[in-house]
Amino acid sequence: MKVTMHKINCFIGVALLLFALSARGQQNYGLRFNSFNVPQENRTSLVIGNKEPLCFDKEERVALSFDLFLEPNQQTYFGYVLRIVNNSGQRINLLYDQGHKIFRLTANGSYTGINFSIADADLFRRWTNIMLVLEDGQLSLFVNQKYFSKVTISLSDLCLRLTYGGGNDGNFSTTDVPPMVLRNVRIMVGGKETYYWPLRFSDSSGVVYDSISHRAAAAVNPVWVSGLHSRW
């Protein structure tokens, strides 16, 4: 049987990913994002609010939380982790800058001044929790439950569409996807957990439902860690 270099690289990548996950000593689940290792049309995205945005009262405290790590031993890491777009086209972006080894937070096309780094031992070996909080015209960042920084932000509305990874959100399209693994996407409103997508698997059409409100999210070109583990 002929084995191509592409297949060999895939086997090696899966083995490294599963080793990294097992080293965490935690349940192995999450959404692995196809990145620069595949053609652009095969890269992964997760879209929440793709058909109908999630709408919140501007006076409420809205917190978005998720866990991620970057897949080790990849050549290219630059890309968009998260894009948040409201009905007015205003946007908040979280991207990874490989050259400086930092995460950058931008708003409406400008840098917010909020940049943070995660030590390689943690970034590639442990789950990192990131939380963004919108409250009283402020955008706050927490890393592993610790307050990091905040910036004043003006948003016309809080009807939001969330896109992790690549894809097209109307006025912006990107295929720059970092090789990340994502899980436990939560939205808390006024301190109460309102939506929760563990990201264990999707149905055959790529739809993922949150376990609280049964709100659908769309996973495009998904690679489920649990599926990799069972096939390996």
Side-chain angles (χ1 to χ4, degrees), residues 57-160:
D57 193 312
K58 290 181 67 175
E59 279 67 50
E60 292 178 313
R61 182 182 191 269
V62 179
L64 169 65
S65 169
F66 53 91
D67 301 333
L68 66 71
F69 71 89
L70 296 186
E71 191 175 341
N73 301 303
Q74 302 296 305
Q75 289 187 341
T76 305
Y77 285 94
F78 173 80
Y80 287 84
V81 174
L82 169 67
R83 305 191 305 283
I84 304 173
V85 183
N86 68 4
N87 273 351
S88 302
Q90 298 169 306
R91 63 182 62 245
I92 299 167
N93 296 326
L94 176 65
L95 57 92
Y96 185 69
D97 180 341
Q98 181 178 357
H100 296 88
K101 293 187 175 182
I102 59 174
F103 290 87
R104 295 186 183 274
L105 196 63
T106 69
N108 299 323
S110 301
Y111 287 115
T112 62
I114 299 179
N115 307 320
F116 65 96
S117 61
I118 301 171
D120 286 356
D122 295 323
L123 184 60
F124 300 105
R125 295 181 178 273
R126 298 183 177 90
W127 292 103
T128 295
N129 178 262
I130 297 174
M131 183 167 69
L132 301 175
V133 178
L134 291 167
E135 183 179 24
D136 296 331
Q138 301 281 331
L139 172 62
S140 302
L141 171 71
F142 294 76
V143 180
N144 288 329
Q145 291 78 49
K146 294 182 179 180
Y147 170 76
F148 184 81
S149 187
K150 67 179 179 181
V151 64
T152 299
I153 186 169
S154 177
L155 296 176
S156 301
D157 64 84
L158 286 186
C159 285
L160 308 177

Side-chain angles (χ1 to χ4, degrees), residues 1-231:
M1 181 177 65
K2 184 178 180 180
V3 180
T4 65
M5 285 303 299
H6 176 72
K7 289 182 178 179
I8 292 173
N9 290 334
C10 287
F11 290 149
I12 293 172
V14 169
L16 290 170
L17 176 61
L18 294 176
F19 176 80
L21 284 165
S22 63
R24 290 165 176 77
Q26 302 177 28
Q27 285 184 295
N28 294 343
Y29 69 90
L31 175 60
R32 178 191 181 222
F33 282 67
N34 284 331
S35 179
F36 293 90
N37 59 314
V38 300
Q40 293 182 357
E41 63 271 17
N42 294 333
R43 295 176 188 176
T44 303
S45 64
L46 176 72
V47 186
I48 299 172
N50 55 316
K51 292 186 177 180
E52 182 181 351
L54 304 177
C55 292
F56 309 99
D57 193 312
K58 290 181 67 175
E59 279 67 50
E60 292 178 313
R61 182 182 191 269
V62 179
L64 169 65
S65 169
F66 53 91
D67 301 333
L68 66 71
F69 71 89
L70 296 186
E71 191 175 341
N73 301 303
Q74 302 296 305
Q75 289 187 341
T76 305
Y77 285 94
F78 173 80
Y80 287 84
V81 174
L82 169 67
R83 305 191 305 283
I84 304 173
V85 183
N86 68 4
N87 273 351
S88 302
Q90 298 169 306
R91 63 182 62 245
I92 299 167
N93 296 326
L94 176 65
L95 57 92
Y96 185 69
D97 180 341
Q98 181 178 357
H100 296 88
K101 293 187 175 182
I102 59 174
F103 290 87
R104 295 186 183 274
L105 196 63
T106 69
N108 299 323
S110 301
Y111 287 115
T112 62
I114 299 179
N115 307 320
F116 65 96
S117 61
I118 301 171
D120 286 356
D122 295 323
L123 184 60
F124 300 105
R125 295 181 178 273
R126 298 183 177 90
W127 292 103
T128 295
N129 178 262
I130 297 174
M131 183 167 69
L132 301 175
V133 178
L134 291 167
E135 183 179 24
D136 296 331
Q138 301 281 331
L139 172 62
S140 302
L141 171 71
F142 294 76
V143 180
N144 288 329
Q145 291 78 49
K146 294 182 179 180
Y147 170 76
F148 184 81
S149 187
K150 67 179 179 181
V151 64
T152 299
I153 186 169
S154 177
L155 296 176
S156 301
D157 64 84
L158 286 186
C159 285
L160 308 177
R161 170 189 168 120
L162 317 177
T163 303
Y164 290 90
N168 188 328
D169 55 27
N171 296 322
F172 183 81
S173 177
T174 185
T175 57
D176 293 331
V177 181
M180 61 183 179
V181 183
L182 176 73
R183 74 177 190 180
N184 295 339
V185 177
R186 291 181 167 92
I187 297 177
M188 287 77 69
V189 180
K192 180 181 178 181
E193 190 170 87
T194 307
Y195 303 101
Y196 173 44
W197 292 268
L199 300 182
R200 297 180 185 275
F201 52 82
S202 65
D203 65 18
S204 59
S205 64
V207 176
V208 188
Y209 293 96
D210 95 89
S211 61
I212 298 174
S213 305
H214 204 63
R215 189 66 183 259
V220 179
N221 298 319
V223 181
W224 299 105
V225 169
S226 57
L228 288 174
H229 185 76
S230 62
R231 289 198 297 273

